[in-house]
Amino acid sequence: MRLAGHDGLSAVPRPGVPAVSLTLAGTLHVSPVAVTAGLEGALGVAVGLAAAALVRVSKADRATWLLSGVLAGTFAAHLAAGYLATLAFAALFLAAGAMLASSTPSSAIAAAGLLGAAGFAHPLFFPFGLAILAIAAAQAFRSDRAEMKRVVLAAVGGGALLGAGILALLAGPGPLAVDTSKDGFLRRADLIAELRHAYLDRLVHHWTRYVEWASLPLAAAGSRDAGGFVGRFLRAWAIAFVVGVAVSLATGLAPADRFITFGFVVPILAAFGVVRLWRAMGDRRLVAVLATGALTGAMIAGSAIAWSREAPFMSPLEVARATTAASYAAATPPGSPLLFLVDDADETVTFLETRAANVLRAAMPPDRIRDVVVVVPPASGAAPIDREALSRLTAADAASAVRRSGKQPFTFVVVPFDRVERVTPPGVASPSLVAKGVAMYPSVAGPSEPLDALQPSTSGSIVLTTLATLVLLTAVGLGWCLAVTQDPLVAAALAPAFGAGAIILAAIAAERLGMPLTGSAGPLLVSAFAGGGGYVVRFVLKRKAGAHPAP
């Protein structure tokens, strides 16, 4: 988000969430930390509301669509813990499914826009979404050709919108090419066997967190009751879900647990299964209440337990020390490489390195983010293959940064990220302590206040930002929803997802035309344009319908 605000959206590979984050931060006047946390909560709610709208459009009864929203919304906790791009994609994709179920020309156009916005949120998930739509369209080949054409046109329209945006984003500074996760490092080091083992180990250790294992039998039973396009859409999602997990486990091309956390089809179908179980028990109301209540509670509890175990990946001490280091980095000549030593005595250094890099870059002045290079010193003795590869690659990164810049590098040691005592060889300069927990070499005359320093946020501020974000997204999206659907409940439920999609598209278009997304003026104009456009379209459509009443 901070890099995109300085360099432009071309500097990030997934521009959707940074675009909406910058717009929300400027419109609501909140910090990057608060808006990031607030957007996690708001998008989690948007997922649940979009799932409820999807099922309601299918003419399911009230209990089914309400329960679908509750189960899908609570299941979003697995993504709201930090996977913002995937979470945004899920909300927009579910909203697009609800639009395709509405079977009107205007709703198909809206679905194309939502799919395009989803692609900007997470381009790598866009092919997976297309696969789901392709399977759904194939199921309608014999029974409903009009539905098949509608799905295909929406997918093509969304793809064309995404393609045009990607071409527009080629102008400007390119994406920051760094490892933001241990998976990225293992892939860059060509340690494929270790990467596959990490994926499998993650799935084995986390499988108890996912409510899907408890809800799979209910989902299988509920799949019989989902009819029409929504039934075909959910069955297509289930097929793609199973294939995605199987291929991931077999090839190691992607983490299988990422497909599982995106498997909102399971809690939605499980809601159908719970209602089916209730009806099957007939007049035995007490047994029905106990059985369905226990199953629903177990599924919600799974998400609640997973959420309660989450912890921030950035501690106050780490951010404070990184901010101190940033104040000294700001005093170095522009463009000079900033080398940060990161080390730990055990094998967790391969995870620590990428996490430290994320924290350090987030705390840097935006114009110095690209200068940060994390270096893991060679181990003093025998080391695992991934540790050796990490030391080799980071040393090469540092040498490349120095060569490209042609300037003297500055080396930093920030204590939360380097706790290993090393003996400096004779004749070699070592970093000197410039502040508590921060050492550097060569030192500078004194710190300089870093521009736009990363500021913490309180729990209360995050709660208020979440509510404000949800209200703003709803206000922006409601006009568009009312323009394409006649059901006010569906419109209200889809409004946050529509708002996120409208802001993503409007922010990318405005930024590409030269409007900055930092400050207040640009974000306010983007919010006004994204939201006002929907109400104008609704007004025009109503006037047109009034001028040409149906016979």
Side-chain angles (χ1 to χ4, degrees):
M1 174 184 171
R2 288 157 61 81
L3 180 64
H6 183 269
D7 286 3
L9 293 174
S10 63
V12 290
R14 302 171 186 174
V17 170
V20 73
S21 298
L22 287 166
T23 302
L24 291 170
T27 302
L28 300 175
H29 299 283
V30 293
S31 70
V33 172
V35 80
T36 301
L39 191 58
E40 289 176 343
L43 287 177
V45 173
V47 165
L49 291 173
L54 172 70
V55 178
R56 179 178 170 85
V57 171
S58 71
K59 308 302 180 184
D61 57 58
R62 186 192 313 180
T64 304
W65 62 261
L66 282 175
L67 190 56
S68 295
V70 170
L71 294 182
T74 52
F75 186 73
H78 297 296
L79 294 178
Y83 299 102
L84 259 175
T86 311
L87 184 64
F89 185 94
L92 293 164
F93 188 67
L94 283 166
M99 284 294 95
L100 289 172
S102 299
S103 67
T104 63
S106 58
S107 62
I109 295 172
L114 290 165
L115 289 172
F120 287 118
H122 204 317
L124 295 179
F125 254 94
F126 189 72
F128 185 70
L130 290 184
I132 294 173
L133 294 177
I135 299 171
Q139 294 179 71
F141 178 75
R142 293 185 178 180
S143 58
D144 194 336
R145 294 290 181 90
E147 176 188 297
M148 182 193 72
K149 292 179 181 178
R150 190 168 63 251
V151 173
V152 171
L153 288 175
V156 171
L161 182 61
L162 176 60
I166 289 175
L167 289 176
L169 288 165
L170 292 177
L176 184 64
V178 297
D179 300 325
T180 57
S181 67
K182 180 180 177 180
D183 298 348
F185 148 67
L186 291 174
R187 189 175 292 108
R188 183 163 71 104
D190 201 29
L191 298 175
I192 305 304
E194 286 75 10
L195 180 62
R196 293 180 63 180
H197 180 269
Y199 286 161
L200 182 60
D201 184 69
R202 190 182 309 163
L203 179 64
V204 170
H205 283 84
H206 290 176
W207 73 268
T208 54
R209 294 186 179 187
Y210 306 132
V211 299
E212 290 174 314
W213 306 112
S215 54
L216 281 174
L218 289 170
S223 63
R224 305 176 185 178
D225 296 335
F229 167 79
V230 171
R232 288 185 281 272
F233 177 72
L234 293 175
R235 284 189 289 272
W237 195 335
I239 293 170
F241 164 77
V242 172
V243 172
V245 171
V247 171
S248 298
L249 291 174
T251 65
L253 295 176
D257 67 327
R258 191 64 58 85
F259 286 100
I260 293 175
T261 54
F262 184 70
F264 291 96
V265 58
V266 176
I268 293 173
L269 286 178
F272 281 91
V274 170
V275 174
R276 182 184 181 87
L277 179 61
W278 172 276
R279 291 172 179 164
M281 292 185 178
D283 296 332
R284 294 172 292 175
R285 290 304 183 196
L286 179 59
V287 177
V289 168
L290 293 175
T292 58
L295 290 169
T296 302
M299 289 184 282
I300 294 175
S303 296
I305 292 171
W307 182 255
S308 67
R309 292 177 177 175
E310 293 295 339
F313 277 85
M314 301 170 68
S315 73
L317 175 62
E318 291 170 346
V319 175
R321 295 284 173 81
T323 302
T324 300
S327 67
Y328 284 90
T332 64
S336 54
L338 307 173
L339 311 182
F340 287 84
L341 301 183
V342 173
D343 203 357
D344 203 347
D346 57 34
E347 60 185 17
T348 60
V349 67
T350 53
F351 175 77
L352 175 65
E353 184 267 342
T354 49
R355 191 177 70 81
N358 292 336
V359 176
L360 291 165
R361 290 191 177 98
M364 284 294 119
D367 62 330
R368 302 306 302 273
I369 290 175
R370 291 182 181 270
D371 298 330
V372 173
V373 180
V374 171
V375 180
V376 176
S380 57
I385 185 173
D386 54 347
R387 166 63 191 256
E388 293 180 353
L390 185 60
S391 298
R392 184 176 65 254
L393 285 178
T394 56
D397 292 340
S400 177
V402 173
R403 185 172 58 255
R404 286 196 313 269
S405 67
K407 299 181 179 181
Q408 179 185 28
F410 289 80
T411 301
F412 290 81
V413 176
V414 181
V415 168
F417 302 121
D418 192 325
R419 298 181 179 275
V420 177
E421 294 288 342
R422 285 181 293 274
V423 178
T424 303
V428 177
S430 61
S432 56
L433 192 67
V434 294
K436 186 176 181 179
V438 178
M440 70 177 297
Y441 176 83
S443 59
V444 292
S448 173
E449 189 68 26
L451 299 176
D452 192 21
L454 191 65
Q455 298 295 328
S457 183
T458 63
S459 298
S461 176
I462 289 173
V463 170
L464 291 176
T465 303
T466 300
L467 295 174
T469 298
L470 191 58
V471 169
L472 179 59
L473 293 180
T474 301
V476 170
L478 187 59
W480 295 104
C481 293
L482 292 173
V484 296
T485 181
Q486 300 300 315
D487 187 334
L489 283 178
V490 169
L494 291 178
F498 265 80
I503 289 177
I504 287 174
L505 297 178
I508 291 175
E511 193 269 346
R512 290 293 86 187
L513 292 174
M515 180 181 293
L517 297 181
T518 52
S520 298
L524 280 170
L525 286 173
V526 168
S527 297
F529 178 76
Y535 295 100
V536 170
V537 169
R538 178 174 180 255
F539 175 78
V540 171
L541 291 177
K542 287 188 68 175
R543 287 287 299 271
K544 184 177 179 181
H548 303 283

